[in-house]
Amino acid sequence: MRRNFFTDIPPVTRHLLLINVVLWLATIAFNQFTDLHLIDYLGLHYLEANSFNPAQFVTYMFLHDDGGVMHILCNMYALYMFGSLMERTMGIKRYLIYYMVCGIGAGLVQEAVMYFELHDIVAGGYQGIRFDNGMVMPVQDFLNMNVVVGASGAIFGIMLAFGIFYANTPLYLFFIPVPIKAKYAIIGYGVIELMFGVTGTMSGVAHFAHLGGMVFGIILILIWMANGTIRRNR
């Protein structure tokens, strides 16, 4: 029987890939041909911004930056590589629950970080934000600029699960010429994300959302292991 690459991908991962790509293309199309910007409505805004909606904790993880292809390409490649195996390992239902918990958890952590950074502006009663070039922007406009999109938080949770269940599997990373066991590679990613988040390196990336996906992922896995729902590979 002739095999089809796309249908060979497990169903949840396959549909997640499809939804993300379709919404990315829709975002580009809407921006190009209409005045409707999907990110303005479905991206995760800061909770004190007037564009914030609680539903964005779900919708944001299915959107990606429409200014280039690398954001969605990297995320979808990682989702395919790690998600396919973890769906087969966890089972369809648990995998979907895990993915959503990691994604929503990532959003919650990012909101906490944004609250720490931005709440003083709201609490101070400022009417505008003055930039170095002398331009003044209304506070709400500034708050609405702080928006997060992407599946990265959920995918970092998936990578964390891979590092737990397939800890000794060798991974070949493009910038390191020798294989590294999954458990060390995933720990390394986590440390790098923490360093970048604390130091403000690559400030346009939601590093704490990535860490949030990993934190919520390990909490859920530990709960499942404790009650016997899943067992780690030996």
Side-chain angles (χ1 to χ4, degrees), residues 28-79:
I28 295 173
F30 275 107
N31 287 354
Q32 185 71 28
F33 301 110
T34 75
D35 293 328
L36 178 65
H37 302 289
L38 292 183
I39 290 176
D40 289 344
Y41 296 93
L42 303 181
L44 180 60
H45 288 75
Y46 174 53
L47 60 87
E48 292 182 291
N50 55 24
S51 292
F52 171 75
N53 186 318
Q56 293 165 358
F57 280 111
V58 174
T59 58
Y60 92 96
M61 70 178 83
F62 298 103
L63 298 179
H64 287 82
D65 176 25
D66 59 336
V69 71
M70 289 307 298
H71 188 205
I72 190 168
L73 182 63
C74 292
N75 275 352
M76 295 303 98
Y77 179 72
L79 176 59

Side-chain angles (χ1 to χ4, degrees), residues 86-219:
M86 292 316 304
E87 181 175 348
R88 294 186 177 102
T89 301
M90 292 181 170
I92 291 174
K93 182 177 179 180
R94 277 192 293 273
Y95 173 74
L96 180 58
I97 291 171
Y98 182 82
Y99 186 93
M100 296 302 295
V101 167
C102 290
I104 293 171
L108 289 170
V109 171
Q110 187 62 32
E111 282 288 352
V113 171
M114 288 193 291
Y115 184 86
F116 177 78
E117 295 175 342
L118 300 174
H119 177 65
D120 285 349
I121 296 174
V122 179
Y126 299 105
Q127 298 301 308
I129 303 295
R130 183 179 296 275
F131 294 91
D132 291 340
N133 62 5
M135 183 185 75
V136 177
M137 179 182 290
V139 165
Q140 276 300 324
D141 290 350
F142 176 75
L143 295 179
N144 282 325
M145 291 174 57
N146 292 270
V147 57
V148 180
V149 296
S152 303
I155 291 171
F156 265 76
I158 296 296
M159 292 168 57
L160 182 280
F162 181 87
I164 292 175
F165 285 87
Y166 298 94
N168 295 315
T169 300
L171 296 179
Y172 292 84
L173 307 178
F174 69 91
F175 50 86
I176 299 178
V178 295
I180 299 178
K181 289 183 178 180
K183 57 186 176 184
Y184 300 129
I186 302 306
I187 291 172
Y189 268 122
V191 171
I192 290 171
E193 288 299 313
L194 180 60
M195 290 175 56
F196 282 0
V198 170
T199 60
T201 306
M202 296 176 64
S203 59
V205 179
H207 300 291
F208 288 104
H210 300 169
L211 291 169
M214 299 179 82
V215 169
F216 273 76
I218 196 169
I219 290 172

